[in-house]
Amino acid sequence: MWDKIKDFSSEFFVTGDPLILGAQVSIAITMVAIVFILTYFKKWRWLWTEWLTSVDHKKIGIMYIIAAILMLFRGGVDALLMRMQLAAPQVEFLNAEHYNAIFTTHGVIMILFMAMPLMFGLFNIVVPLQIGARDVAFPFLNSLSFWMFFFGAMLFNVSFVIGGSPDAGWLAYPPLSGLSGSPGVGQDFYIWGIQISGIGSLATGINFIVTILKMRAPGMKLMKMPMFTWSVLSSCTTIIFAFPILTVTLFLLFLDRYLGAHFFTLDGGGNPMMYINLIWMWGHPEVYIVILPAFGIFSEIVSAFSKKKLFGYKSMVFALMSISFFSFFTWAHHFFTMGSGANVNAFFAVTTMLIAIPTGVKVFNWLFTMYRGKLSFPTPMMWTVAFIPCFVIGGMTGVLLSVAPADFQFHNSYFLIAHFHQVLIGGVVFGYFAGLYYWWPKMFGFKLHEGLGKWAFWFWNIGFYVCFMPQYALGLMGMTRRFNEYNFDMGWQPLNVVSTVGGFLMGIAFLFQVWQIAHSIRFYKKEKTGDTWDGRTLEWSIPSPAPMYNFARIPVVTEQDDWWEKKQRRLRGEADAPEVVQAEQAPLEPIHMPRNSGVPFVMSAFWFTAGFGFVWDWKWMIVLGLGGVIVSMLVRSFTYNTDYYIPVEEVERTEAAARGAH
């Protein structure tokens, strides 16, 4: 009996690696500390009522951002471990299996569990405020989306200490991801963690499309929407067409592993290339899903800190929507070397070059917006300006990779790694950092410390170029991806050492950001106006942080950049349009709001339970988890008390308090 328990324990828990043992100990200590603090300060009820059951889009956005920052730390540590392994030839810091697991989890975490929630967090916080709405279209679904993402991410991350991480690469190509290549449970953690999280992502895409199309303030025509809202619409449109492909692809891989199907196994009549086509039919649109909102952020910031309307508004809208469309016609450039034939390669080479045109249009729009503007350079604007040269370099190397004959040389080399990180860090991460700094006062009512923010900015940027510029040269020297050591005679060590130094500089930058947040909380200085940056769009017309109901009176919009134009009219002594005056002077009314609900949290926990059961093939747990999901859906179906009204007196008190703060 003891031997059976011992055998199961050795299979269930990852043992034998001091790094993983350290992670297990630190996780246990952290969990004990959290439980102790919540118990000591009697905060369990507060946690449940204010956060875990909240359907407030602003609180959900904050939870997305907290989760994303934690995942940035986890994915960043993975990156530094890889750089330490590659800093010198024939290093034995990580064994091959552990290295494979780390580069697999690094890719998945950074794209799906860091960039996506950071993006969704900004969606939640900004979009309803920009369009003059009191909430998203489906508040309950919004909460469910977050908790599905969160529990999917936890299911994936727990594989690090239980069962073993997936190690077939971040896109899990078969046959490496099949039973023959990955007989353990790591790949099943990969499948179910991403599946559960992906359902939440798809629901978010649907929710925000409906919110933007149906809940805009009176007078806000589509061509009067802020550019960030347009970028969210284009991103969510891509989500609803791309993520079902991912769901089906991973389900077919699950059937191969769980039921012995042969969709992707050659010896059973399947074809691994079908998987590679399907995964990249999702994978390349996914790159644009995460970068399109960053383009919207840059547009808002450039306009705000240039004190000018965005140059070429219509061309920018056309560029965003055309990128969303063309992103579905470029996937095969990821495998030019796979023997598709000259005609197929030529088609995808041309479409890849075409998509660079609307991408380039935006850069010129931002530059022309800054031209002769009244420029200022607080931290959000610094990140925006730093993005432009970085993204231009990334775009140029992307066009090089789109040329099929050249790609035959660059493919799978570190040239590709450098390009990918150039656009994903220099575009996506820089963009979301800019957005966080810009909208932080709207979230929390105080600005982040500018001095520490500038230290973080310079460490990030210098570290980025020191890390990734050498990798272009390493790729041209023949260094390829996916191996954990190299010989002394390859001549790669000097540039790898430089690259590793750059990685640690970015790690220092992250520590500066943590210090910046802690310092700003410690020396809290409340913003005395909701209009921190002298902004242009509706979110700056209400107090910071925004009240629960967002707008006491729904605004009426008459033109693009409506809040800015309204301020300029008042400075000139001009009267607002009659419909605007009527809306502002209308008597307050009770405000309809959705009630908090614990069902999304509980239902997602049951999805986690079912996923864990599928990973270990514990049928009792599968039945328990799926049964819990069904019961949760029934509970929701028979819950009728789902909303309430905020009385006028409470709205008046809240507004009076906000005016007092002004």
Side-chain angles (χ1 to χ4, degrees), residues 198-209:
I199 295 170
S201 298
L202 180 60
T204 298
I206 295 168
N207 204 347
F208 277 89
I209 288 176

Side-chain angles (χ1 to χ4, degrees), residues 357-371:
I357 296 172
T359 307
V361 163
K362 293 187 296 301
V363 174
F364 288 104
N365 284 358
W366 296 321
L367 292 174
F368 283 126
T369 303
M370 288 188 276
Y371 179 65

Side-chain angles (χ1 to χ4, degrees), residues 330-647:
T330 60
W331 80 86
H333 71 221
H334 289 274
F335 42 93
F336 279 145
T337 59
M338 295 292 187
S340 301
N343 290 336
V344 172
N345 284 356
F347 173 83
F348 284 98
V350 170
T351 55
T352 305
M353 294 174 194
L354 281 175
I355 207 169
I357 296 172
T359 307
V361 163
K362 293 187 296 301
V363 174
F364 288 104
N365 284 358
W366 296 321
L367 292 174
F368 283 126
T369 303
M370 288 188 276
Y371 179 65
R372 291 187 175 179
K374 297 178 182 178
L375 294 173
S376 58
F377 293 94
T379 318
M381 187 64 166
M382 290 176 66
W383 283 104
T384 302
V385 173
F387 153 81
I388 293 175
C390 187
F391 194 74
V392 167
I393 295 170
M396 290 169 61
T397 55
V399 173
L400 284 175
L401 289 165
S402 74
V403 180
D407 187 72
F408 271 65
Q409 304 302 316
F410 302 144
H411 189 75
N412 273 348
S413 74
Y414 262 72
F415 187 95
L416 178 60
I417 296 291
H419 158 74
F420 186 76
H421 286 83
Q422 186 100 40
V423 292
L424 265 293
I425 294 179
V428 175
V429 178
F430 284 13
Y432 294 159
F433 283 169
L436 277 179
Y437 285 109
Y438 184 60
W439 283 302
W440 188 276
K442 188 54 58 181
M443 288 187 267
F444 299 107
F446 64 93
K447 287 172 67 175
L448 288 171
H449 189 273
E450 280 285 305
L452 291 172
K454 287 180 168 59
W455 276 100
F457 169 84
W458 287 112
F459 268 99
W460 260 110
N461 278 269
I462 294 171
F464 173 82
Y465 285 103
V466 171
C467 183
F468 292 107
M469 290 299 108
Q471 292 184 15
Y472 285 113
L474 285 168
L476 296 175
M477 292 166 67
M479 184 172 176
T480 55
R481 299 191 282 174
R482 302 188 181 102
F483 61 82
N484 69 314
E485 61 180 33
Y486 52 92
N487 292 325
F488 285 90
D489 59 357
M490 302 304 292
W492 299 339
Q493 181 178 0
L495 290 177
N496 271 304
V497 170
V498 173
S499 184
T500 301
V501 169
F504 276 91
L505 290 175
M506 288 189 283
I508 294 170
F510 178 79
L511 295 179
F512 266 109
Q513 289 175 310
V514 174
W515 181 13
Q516 180 187 18
I517 293 171
H519 181 278
S520 302
I521 294 171
R522 172 68 178 82
F523 300 99
Y524 176 87
K525 292 183 180 179
K526 180 166 178 60
E527 282 294 297
K528 295 183 179 180
T529 170
D531 196 0
T532 308
W533 308 109
D534 193 16
R536 307 180 70 84
T537 45
L538 289 179
E539 72 267 30
W540 303 111
S541 67
I542 58 176
S544 298
M548 180 188 301
Y549 48 79
N550 296 347
F551 296 89
R553 299 176 179 86
I554 297 297
V556 172
V557 173
T558 57
E559 51 196 311
Q560 182 191 336
D561 289 349
D562 191 73
W563 174 237
W564 173 264
E565 296 299 336
K566 185 177 293 183
K567 289 188 294 185
Q568 298 307 303
R569 283 197 300 271
R570 290 173 181 175
L571 285 174
R572 295 191 297 265
E574 299 174 4
D576 288 322
E579 61 269 25
V580 175
V581 175
Q582 183 179 358
E584 290 181 346
Q585 296 178 354
L588 290 172
E589 297 178 354
I591 296 175
H592 178 262
M593 297 296 290
R595 287 191 184 278
N596 286 357
S597 174
V599 174
F601 180 87
V602 174
M603 186 190 300
S604 301
F606 277 121
W607 270 111
F608 177 94
T609 304
F612 201 85
F614 276 117
V615 167
W616 291 97
D617 196 16
W618 294 345
K619 293 181 175 55
W620 64 270
M621 186 175 280
I622 297 171
V623 172
L624 174 66
L626 294 180
V629 171
I630 293 170
V631 170
S632 299
M633 294 170 71
L634 290 172
V635 168
R636 173 63 180 175
S637 297
F638 290 98
T639 300
Y640 300 106
N641 188 19
T642 59
D643 48 21
Y644 71 103
Y645 283 88
I646 300 176

Side-chain angles (χ1 to χ4, degrees), residues 159-290:
S159 66
F160 184 53
V161 293
I162 296 177
S165 296
D167 58 3
W170 82 278
L171 287 178
Y173 290 173
L176 288 175
S177 58
L179 274 178
S180 60
S182 298
V185 296
Q187 197 57 44
D188 299 299
F189 275 114
Y190 174 99
I191 291 171
W192 285 102
I194 294 176
Q195 286 287 53
I196 293 170
S197 175
I199 295 170
S201 298
L202 180 60
T204 298
I206 295 168
N207 204 347
F208 277 89
I209 288 176
V210 178
T211 300
I212 292 168
L213 293 182
K214 302 297 291 183
M215 298 186 69
R216 301 189 306 280
M220 184 177 280
K221 306 294 185 183
L222 284 173
M223 295 308 290
K224 292 178 183 175
M225 289 198 309
M227 194 51 63
F228 179 69
T229 301
W230 265 113
S231 71
V232 172
L233 181 61
S234 63
S235 178
C236 289
T237 303
T238 314
I239 285 173
I240 65 170
F241 289 106
F243 265 81
I245 302 173
L246 176 66
T247 301
V248 170
T249 305
L250 292 182
F251 184 68
L252 295 178
L253 181 61
F254 166 72
L255 293 179
D256 273 13
R257 293 178 57 85
Y258 196 73
L259 297 179
H262 293 286
F263 291 103
F264 308 127
T265 51
L266 279 173
D267 57 353
N271 189 346
M273 276 302 300
M274 182 167 72
Y275 178 94
I276 294 172
N277 273 277
L278 287 170
I279 202 71
W280 279 115
M281 287 171 71
W282 160 79
H284 202 78
E286 166 65 11
V287 174
Y288 292 105
I289 285 168
V290 293

Side-chain angles (χ1 to χ4, degrees), residues 24-76:
Q24 290 168 330
V25 172
S26 63
I27 290 169
I29 292 172
T30 302
M31 292 179 68
V32 170
I34 291 171
V35 171
F36 173 78
I37 291 169
L38 290 172
T39 305
Y40 182 80
F41 290 103
K42 299 178 181 179
K43 289 293 185 180
W44 285 105
R45 183 177 180 83
W46 167 82
L47 180 66
W48 176 257
T49 57
E50 293 295 322
W51 293 95
L52 302 187
T53 63
S54 177
V55 296
D56 182 350
H57 67 92
K58 298 176 289 296
K59 289 184 176 179
I60 290 170
I62 291 169
M63 289 192 289
Y64 267 122
I65 288 169
I66 292 171
I69 291 172
L70 292 174
M71 291 297 101
L72 177 60
F73 172 75
R74 162 74 204 276

